[in-house]
Amino acid sequence: MLSFLGIQEVRLGAQRFDEKFEGAFLVWEPGNWLPPSKGLVQTVGPSGDPLAPKRPTQTDALCFHLGAEPGVVITVGRAPENDCIVSDATVGRSHLLLTNEPRGWTVRAVGGRPVQVLGVALRQVANLRPGDTLQIGNVALTFGDAALIRSRTSSG
């Protein structure tokens, strides 16, 4: 969750955070669902002392760390065999593929299910940039990197 990643950034510092969480992220934005808000997230600071527990907020979101490995293919969909499982009835069992190609991350729809990138219907493979929003069914997913995640956790 973004709240947990925010705590990790405080604990690790920006440079170590970027090293540990190198590569891309996919953020499942809150929509018809709400992230857990009753539980507390707790971790330790750089000195090993416990940080004050933090309660996730309504603007929190689930995050998938895609990594930075070249050539990796990430499957996204509702079925349990996907790399990123989006358990929403409006999402296909297998809905899209994310690929880390030499020119950067790309997205491709699979299974004939509709996908929008920045509000435009995806007709073929599209290149992704940090901040791009993917719409699959009723679910919004934001593609980003560690810098985007840090900016969101610092402002929340």
Side-chain angles (χ1 to χ4, degrees):
M1 289 195 317
L2 279 172
S3 58
F4 176 74
L5 290 172
I7 292 171
Q8 292 301 303
E9 189 213 349
V10 169
R11 186 175 79 77
L12 297 170
Q15 182 177 354
R16 287 186 53 217
F17 179 87
D18 286 353
E19 291 168 2
K20 181 172 183 171
F21 295 105
E22 179 183 10
F25 285 86
L26 198 59
V27 179
W28 181 356
E29 302 294 350
N32 294 333
W33 69 280
L34 292 175
S37 60
K38 292 188 171 134
L40 297 176
V41 179
Q42 185 168 4
T43 189
V44 295
S47 65
D49 296 329
L51 294 173
K54 181 178 178 181
R55 185 173 302 281
T57 66
Q58 296 301 341
T59 59
D60 208 351
L62 297 174
C63 299
F64 301 101
H65 183 213
L66 306 177
E69 185 178 333
V72 71
V73 176
I74 305 288
T75 59
V76 179
R78 188 178 78 241
E81 59 269 10
N82 286 291
D83 300 306
C84 296
I85 301 168
V86 179
S87 55
D88 184 281
T90 64
V91 173
R93 291 185 54 76
S94 180
H95 208 116
L96 57 88
L97 295 177
L98 301 169
T99 306
N100 191 4
E101 298 186 6
R103 67 182 184 274
W105 285 89
T106 62
V107 60
R108 178 170 62 93
V110 294
R113 300 293 292 220
V115 175
Q116 291 185 355
V117 179
L118 296 171
V120 177
L122 179 65
R123 304 230 184 271
Q124 55 188 344
V125 174
N127 294 320
L128 291 173
R129 293 176 306 210
D132 283 356
T133 301
L134 309 172
Q135 186 75 35
I136 58 174
N138 292 334
V139 174
L141 303 166
T142 302
F143 176 80
D145 56 12
L148 180 75
I149 297 297
R150 271 200 336 275
S151 73
R152 288 189 58 177
T153 60
S154 297
S155 63

Short mmCIF file of all heavy atoms in Angstrom, two decimals, residues 38-87:
data_model
loop_
_atom_site.label_atom_id
_atom_site.label_comp_id
_atom_site.label_asym_id
_atom_site.label_seq_id
_atom_site.Cartn_x
_atom_site.Cartn_y
_atom_site.Cartn_z
N LYS A 38 -8.80 0.23 9.04
CA LYS A 38 -8.89 -0.04 10.47
C LYS A 38 -7.56 -0.52 11.04
O LYS A 38 -7.25 -0.27 12.18
CB LYS A 38 -9.98 -1.08 10.73
CG LYS A 38 -11.34 -0.52 10.42
CD LYS A 38 -12.42 -1.45 10.85
CE LYS A 38 -13.70 -0.69 10.71
NZ LYS A 38 -14.77 -1.27 10.12
N GLY A 39 -6.77 -1.20 10.23
CA GLY A 39 -5.50 -1.71 10.71
C GLY A 39 -4.44 -0.63 10.72
O GLY A 39 -4.55 0.37 10.02
N LEU A 40 -3.43 -0.82 11.53
CA LEU A 40 -2.32 0.12 11.58
C LEU A 40 -1.10 -0.52 10.92
O LEU A 40 -0.86 -1.71 11.06
CB LEU A 40 -1.99 0.49 13.02
CG LEU A 40 -3.09 1.21 13.80
CD1 LEU A 40 -2.64 1.43 15.24
CD2 LEU A 40 -3.40 2.54 13.15
N VAL A 41 -0.33 0.29 10.21
CA VAL A 41 0.91 -0.16 9.61
C VAL A 41 2.04 0.35 10.49
O VAL A 41 2.09 1.54 10.80
CB VAL A 41 1.05 0.40 8.17
CG1 VAL A 41 2.35 -0.05 7.56
CG2 VAL A 41 -0.13 -0.05 7.32
N GLN A 42 2.94 -0.53 10.92
CA GLN A 42 4.03 -0.11 11.79
C GLN A 42 5.33 -0.72 11.28
O GLN A 42 5.37 -1.84 10.80
CB GLN A 42 3.78 -0.55 13.23
CG GLN A 42 4.83 -0.04 14.18
CD GLN A 42 4.42 -0.24 15.62
OE1 GLN A 42 3.40 -0.83 15.92
NE2 GLN A 42 5.23 0.24 16.53
N THR A 43 6.41 0.05 11.39
CA THR A 43 7.72 -0.44 11.00
C THR A 43 8.74 0.26 11.87
O THR A 43 8.40 1.01 12.78
CB THR A 43 7.97 -0.21 9.49
OG1 THR A 43 9.17 -0.88 9.13
CG2 THR A 43 8.06 1.26 9.15
N VAL A 44 10.01 0.04 11.60
CA VAL A 44 11.08 0.67 12.38
C VAL A 44 11.79 1.70 11.55
O VAL A 44 11.84 1.61 10.32
CB VAL A 44 12.08 -0.38 12.90
CG1 VAL A 44 11.43 -1.33 13.88
CG2 VAL A 44 12.71 -1.15 11.77
N GLY A 45 12.35 2.70 12.22
CA GLY A 45 13.08 3.77 11.56
C GLY A 45 14.51 3.37 11.27
O GLY A 45 14.94 2.25 11.57
N PRO A 46 15.33 4.30 10.70
CA PRO A 46 16.71 3.99 10.34
C PRO A 46 17.55 3.55 11.52
O PRO A 46 18.45 2.74 11.38
CB PRO A 46 17.24 5.31 9.77
CG PRO A 46 16.03 6.11 9.42
CD PRO A 46 14.94 5.64 10.31
N SER A 47 17.23 4.05 12.74
CA SER A 47 18.01 3.68 13.92
C SER A 47 17.55 2.36 14.53
O SER A 47 18.15 1.88 15.48
CB SER A 47 17.88 4.79 14.97
OG SER A 47 16.54 4.86 15.42
N GLY A 48 16.49 1.79 13.99
CA GLY A 48 15.95 0.55 14.55
C GLY A 48 14.85 0.80 15.56
O GLY A 48 14.21 -0.13 16.03
N ASP A 49 14.61 2.06 15.90
CA ASP A 49 13.53 2.40 16.82
C ASP A 49 12.19 2.33 16.10
O ASP A 49 12.09 2.71 14.94
CB ASP A 49 13.72 3.82 17.38
CG ASP A 49 14.99 3.94 18.21
OD1 ASP A 49 15.38 2.93 18.85
OD2 ASP A 49 15.58 5.03 18.22
N PRO A 50 11.15 1.86 16.79
CA PRO A 50 9.83 1.79 16.13
C PRO A 50 9.33 3.18 15.75
O PRO A 50 9.52 4.14 16.49
CB PRO A 50 8.93 1.17 17.19
CG PRO A 50 9.82 0.62 18.24
CD PRO A 50 11.13 1.34 18.14
N LEU A 51 8.73 3.27 14.58
CA LEU A 51 8.05 4.49 14.16
C LEU A 51 6.63 4.44 14.70
O LEU A 51 6.10 3.36 14.96
CB LEU A 51 8.00 4.59 12.63
CG LEU A 51 9.34 4.76 11.92
CD1 LEU A 51 9.13 4.67 10.41
CD2 LEU A 51 9.98 6.09 12.28
N ALA A 52 6.03 5.59 14.87
CA ALA A 52 4.64 5.63 15.33
C ALA A 52 3.76 4.92 14.30
O ALA A 52 3.95 5.10 13.10
CB ALA A 52 4.19 7.08 15.49
N PRO A 53 2.82 4.09 14.77
CA PRO A 53 1.93 3.43 13.81
C PRO A 53 1.20 4.46 12.95
O PRO A 53 0.87 5.54 13.41
CB PRO A 53 0.94 2.69 14.71
CG PRO A 53 1.61 2.59 16.04
CD PRO A 53 2.51 3.78 16.14
N LYS A 54 0.97 4.11 11.71
CA LYS A 54 0.28 5.01 10.78
C LYS A 54 -0.97 4.30 10.28
O LYS A 54 -0.92 3.15 9.87
CB LYS A 54 1.21 5.35 9.61
CG LYS A 54 0.56 6.28 8.61
CD LYS A 54 1.51 6.65 7.49
CE LYS A 54 0.80 7.54 6.51
NZ LYS A 54 1.62 7.92 5.40
N ARG A 55 -2.07 5.02 10.31
CA ARG A 55 -3.33 4.46 9.82
C ARG A 55 -3.46 4.78 8.34
O ARG A 55 -3.32 5.92 7.94
CB ARG A 55 -4.50 5.07 10.58
CG ARG A 55 -5.83 4.48 10.22
CD ARG A 55 -6.93 4.99 11.11
NE ARG A 55 -6.72 4.74 12.52
CZ ARG A 55 -6.94 3.57 13.12
NH1 ARG A 55 -7.36 2.55 12.43
NH2 ARG A 55 -6.72 3.42 14.41
N PRO A 56 -3.68 3.76 7.49
CA PRO A 56 -3.91 4.05 6.08
C PRO A 56 -5.08 5.01 5.90
O PRO A 56 -6.03 4.98 6.67
CB PRO A 56 -4.23 2.67 5.48
CG PRO A 56 -3.61 1.71 6.43
CD PRO A 56 -3.73 2.35 7.78
N THR A 57 -4.99 5.86 4.90
CA THR A 57 -6.03 6.86 4.65
C THR A 57 -6.95 6.40 3.53
O THR A 57 -6.66 5.42 2.83
CB THR A 57 -5.40 8.20 4.25
OG1 THR A 57 -4.76 8.01 2.99
CG2 THR A 57 -4.40 8.68 5.27
N GLN A 58 -8.04 7.12 3.33
CA GLN A 58 -8.96 6.78 2.24
C GLN A 58 -8.32 7.03 0.88
O GLN A 58 -8.85 6.58 -0.13
CB GLN A 58 -10.26 7.58 2.38
CG GLN A 58 -11.05 7.24 3.63
CD GLN A 58 -11.44 5.78 3.71
OE1 GLN A 58 -11.47 5.06 2.74
NE2 GLN A 58 -11.75 5.32 4.91
N THR A 59 -7.23 7.76 0.82
CA THR A 59 -6.54 7.98 -0.46
C THR A 59 -5.44 6.95 -0.67
O THR A 59 -4.70 7.04 -1.63
CB THR A 59 -5.95 9.40 -0.53
OG1 THR A 59 -5.03 9.56 0.55
CG2 THR A 59 -7.04 10.44 -0.45
N ASP A 60 -5.32 6.00 0.26
CA ASP A 60 -4.32 4.96 0.11
C ASP A 60 -4.66 4.11 -1.11
O ASP A 60 -5.75 4.21 -1.66
CB ASP A 60 -4.31 4.08 1.36
CG ASP A 60 -2.96 3.44 1.62
OD1 ASP A 60 -2.09 3.53 0.74
OD2 ASP A 60 -2.79 2.85 2.69
N ALA A 61 -3.73 3.31 -1.56
CA ALA A 61 -3.96 2.48 -2.74
C ALA A 61 -3.07 1.25 -2.66
O ALA A 61 -2.02 1.28 -2.04
CB ALA A 61 -3.65 3.27 -4.00
N LEU A 62 -3.50 0.18 -3.30
CA LEU A 62 -2.69 -1.02 -3.40
C LEU A 62 -1.65 -0.83 -4.49
O LEU A 62 -1.92 -0.23 -5.53
CB LEU A 62 -3.57 -2.22 -3.73
CG LEU A 62 -4.61 -2.58 -2.67
CD1 LEU A 62 -5.51 -3.69 -3.19
CD2 LEU A 62 -3.96 -2.99 -1.38
N CYS A 63 -0.44 -1.33 -4.24
CA CYS A 63 0.66 -1.15 -5.19
C CYS A 63 1.25 -2.49 -5.58
O CYS A 63 1.43 -3.37 -4.73
CB CYS A 63 1.77 -0.31 -4.57
SG CYS A 63 1.27 1.33 -4.10
N PHE A 64 1.56 -2.64 -6.86
CA PHE A 64 2.29 -3.80 -7.36
C PHE A 64 3.66 -3.31 -7.80
O PHE A 64 3.75 -2.42 -8.65
CB PHE A 64 1.58 -4.41 -8.58
CG PHE A 64 0.18 -4.87 -8.32
CD1 PHE A 64 -0.90 -4.10 -8.72
CD2 PHE A 64 -0.06 -6.09 -7.71
CE1 PHE A 64 -2.20 -4.53 -8.51
CE2 PHE A 64 -1.38 -6.53 -7.49
CZ PHE A 64 -2.44 -5.74 -7.89
N HIS A 65 4.73 -3.85 -7.23
CA HIS A 65 6.09 -3.49 -7.65
C HIS A 65 6.44 -4.39 -8.83
O HIS A 65 6.56 -5.60 -8.69
CB HIS A 65 7.07 -3.67 -6.50
CG HIS A 65 8.45 -3.24 -6.84
ND1 HIS A 65 9.56 -3.86 -6.33
CD2 HIS A 65 8.92 -2.25 -7.64
CE1 HIS A 65 10.64 -3.28 -6.80
NE2 HIS A 65 10.28 -2.30 -7.60
N LEU A 66 6.61 -3.79 -10.01
CA LEU A 66 6.89 -4.55 -11.22
C LEU A 66 8.37 -4.84 -11.40
O LEU A 66 8.75 -5.74 -12.14
CB LEU A 66 6.37 -3.79 -12.45
CG LEU A 66 4.90 -3.37 -12.41
CD1 LEU A 66 4.55 -2.56 -13.65
CD2 LEU A 66 3.98 -4.57 -12.26
N GLY A 67 9.22 -4.07 -10.75
CA GLY A 67 10.66 -4.27 -10.84
C GLY A 67 11.25 -3.59 -12.06
O GLY A 67 10.64 -2.75 -12.70
N ALA A 68 12.51 -3.98 -12.36
CA ALA A 68 13.24 -3.35 -13.46
C ALA A 68 13.89 -4.36 -14.38
O ALA A 68 14.63 -3.99 -15.28
CB ALA A 68 14.30 -2.42 -12.88
N GLU A 69 13.63 -5.64 -14.17
CA GLU A 69 14.28 -6.68 -14.96
C GLU A 69 13.90 -6.57 -16.44
O GLU A 69 12.72 -6.59 -16.79
CB GLU A 69 13.87 -8.05 -14.43
CG GLU A 69 14.58 -9.19 -15.10
CD GLU A 69 14.17 -10.53 -14.52
OE1 GLU A 69 13.77 -10.59 -13.35
OE2 GLU A 69 14.25 -11.52 -15.26
N PRO A 70 14.91 -6.45 -17.32
CA PRO A 70 14.61 -6.36 -18.76
C PRO A 70 13.93 -7.62 -19.27
O PRO A 70 14.23 -8.73 -18.83
CB PRO A 70 15.99 -6.19 -19.40
CG PRO A 70 16.92 -5.85 -18.29
CD PRO A 70 16.33 -6.39 -17.04
N GLY A 71 12.98 -7.43 -20.18
CA GLY A 71 12.31 -8.56 -20.82
C GLY A 71 11.20 -9.19 -20.01
O GLY A 71 10.53 -10.10 -20.49
N VAL A 72 10.99 -8.73 -18.78
CA VAL A 72 9.95 -9.34 -17.95
C VAL A 72 8.57 -9.02 -18.53
O VAL A 72 8.34 -7.94 -19.06
CB VAL A 72 10.07 -8.88 -16.48
CG1 VAL A 72 9.67 -7.44 -16.30
CG2 VAL A 72 9.24 -9.76 -15.56
N VAL A 73 7.67 -9.99 -18.44
CA VAL A 73 6.29 -9.82 -18.87
C VAL A 73 5.41 -10.03 -17.64
O VAL A 73 5.51 -11.05 -16.96
CB VAL A 73 5.89 -10.82 -19.98
CG1 VAL A 73 4.43 -10.68 -20.34
CG2 VAL A 73 6.78 -10.64 -21.20
N ILE A 74 4.57 -9.05 -17.34
CA ILE A 74 3.67 -9.08 -16.18
C ILE A 74 2.24 -9.24 -16.70
O ILE A 74 1.79 -8.45 -17.52
CB ILE A 74 3.77 -7.78 -15.35
CG1 ILE A 74 5.21 -7.49 -14.93
CG2 ILE A 74 2.81 -7.80 -14.18
CD1 ILE A 74 5.76 -8.39 -13.87
N THR A 75 1.54 -10.26 -16.20
CA THR A 75 0.15 -10.45 -16.57
C THR A 75 -0.74 -9.80 -15.52
O THR A 75 -0.45 -9.85 -14.33
CB THR A 75 -0.20 -11.95 -16.68
OG1 THR A 75 0.06 -12.59 -15.43
CG2 THR A 75 0.63 -12.62 -17.77
N VAL A 76 -1.82 -9.16 -15.97
CA VAL A 76 -2.75 -8.48 -15.08
C VAL A 76 -4.16 -8.97 -15.41
O VAL A 76 -4.55 -9.00 -16.58
CB VAL A 76 -2.69 -6.95 -15.26
CG1 VAL A 76 -3.69 -6.25 -14.34
CG2 VAL A 76 -1.28 -6.43 -15.02
N GLY A 77 -4.88 -9.37 -14.37
CA GLY A 77 -6.25 -9.83 -14.56
C GLY A 77 -6.83 -10.34 -13.26
O GLY A 77 -6.20 -10.25 -12.21
N ARG A 78 -8.01 -10.89 -13.36
CA ARG A 78 -8.76 -11.37 -12.20
C ARG A 78 -8.34 -12.77 -11.75
O ARG A 78 -8.49 -13.13 -10.58
CB ARG A 78 -10.25 -11.32 -12.56
CG ARG A 78 -11.20 -11.57 -11.47
CD ARG A 78 -12.66 -11.44 -11.94
NE ARG A 78 -13.08 -12.62 -12.68
CZ ARG A 78 -13.47 -12.65 -13.94
NH1 ARG A 78 -13.51 -11.55 -14.64
NH2 ARG A 78 -13.85 -13.76 -14.52
N ALA A 79 -7.83 -13.59 -12.66
CA ALA A 79 -7.50 -14.99 -12.35
C ALA A 79 -6.29 -15.09 -11.42
O ALA A 79 -5.37 -14.27 -11.50
CB ALA A 79 -7.24 -15.75 -13.64
N PRO A 80 -6.27 -16.10 -10.56
CA PRO A 80 -5.19 -16.24 -9.58
C PRO A 80 -3.81 -16.51 -10.20
O PRO A 80 -2.81 -16.29 -9.53
CB PRO A 80 -5.62 -17.40 -8.69
CG PRO A 80 -6.76 -18.05 -9.37
CD PRO A 80 -7.31 -17.10 -10.38
N GLU A 81 -3.76 -16.95 -11.44
CA GLU A 81 -2.45 -17.22 -12.05
C GLU A 81 -1.76 -15.96 -12.58
O GLU A 81 -0.62 -16.02 -13.04
CB GLU A 81 -2.55 -18.27 -13.16
CG GLU A 81 -3.48 -17.92 -14.29
CD GLU A 81 -4.92 -18.41 -14.08
OE1 GLU A 81 -5.28 -18.86 -12.97
OE2 GLU A 81 -5.69 -18.31 -15.02
N ASN A 82 -2.41 -14.80 -12.52
CA ASN A 82 -1.79 -13.55 -12.97
C ASN A 82 -0.72 -13.09 -11.99
O ASN A 82 -0.77 -13.40 -10.81
CB ASN A 82 -2.85 -12.46 -13.12
CG ASN A 82 -3.70 -12.68 -14.35
OD1 ASN A 82 -3.23 -12.56 -15.46
ND2 ASN A 82 -4.96 -13.04 -14.13
N ASP A 83 0.22 -12.30 -12.51
CA ASP A 83 1.24 -11.71 -11.65
C ASP A 83 0.63 -10.61 -10.77
O ASP A 83 0.99 -10.48 -9.61
CB ASP A 83 2.37 -11.11 -12.50
CG ASP A 83 3.05 -12.17 -13.35
OD1 ASP A 83 3.49 -13.20 -12.79
OD2 ASP A 83 3.12 -11.98 -14.58
N CYS A 84 -0.27 -9.81 -11.33
CA CYS A 84 -0.99 -8.77 -10.61
C CYS A 84 -2.47 -9.15 -10.66
O CYS A 84 -3.08 -9.09 -11.72
CB CYS A 84 -0.79 -7.39 -11.24
SG CYS A 84 0.90 -6.81 -11.19
N ILE A 85 -3.01 -9.54 -9.52
CA ILE A 85 -4.41 -9.99 -9.46
C ILE A 85 -5.28 -8.81 -9.06
O ILE A 85 -5.09 -8.22 -8.00
CB ILE A 85 -4.57 -11.14 -8.46
CG1 ILE A 85 -3.68 -12.31 -8.87
CG2 ILE A 85 -6.04 -11.57 -8.37
CD1 ILE A 85 -3.53 -13.38 -7.81
N VAL A 86 -6.22 -8.46 -9.94
CA VAL A 86 -7.16 -7.38 -9.70
C VAL A 86 -8.53 -8.03 -9.57
O VAL A 86 -9.19 -8.33 -10.56
CB VAL A 86 -7.12 -6.34 -10.85
CG1 VAL A 86 -8.12 -5.24 -10.60
CG2 VAL A 86 -5.71 -5.78 -11.01
N SER A 87 -8.93 -8.29 -8.32
CA SER A 87 -10.16 -9.04 -8.07
C SER A 87 -11.37 -8.13 -8.12
O SER A 87 -11.89 -7.69 -7.10
CB SER A 87 -10.07 -9.78 -6.74
OG SER A 87 -9.77 -8.87 -5.71
#
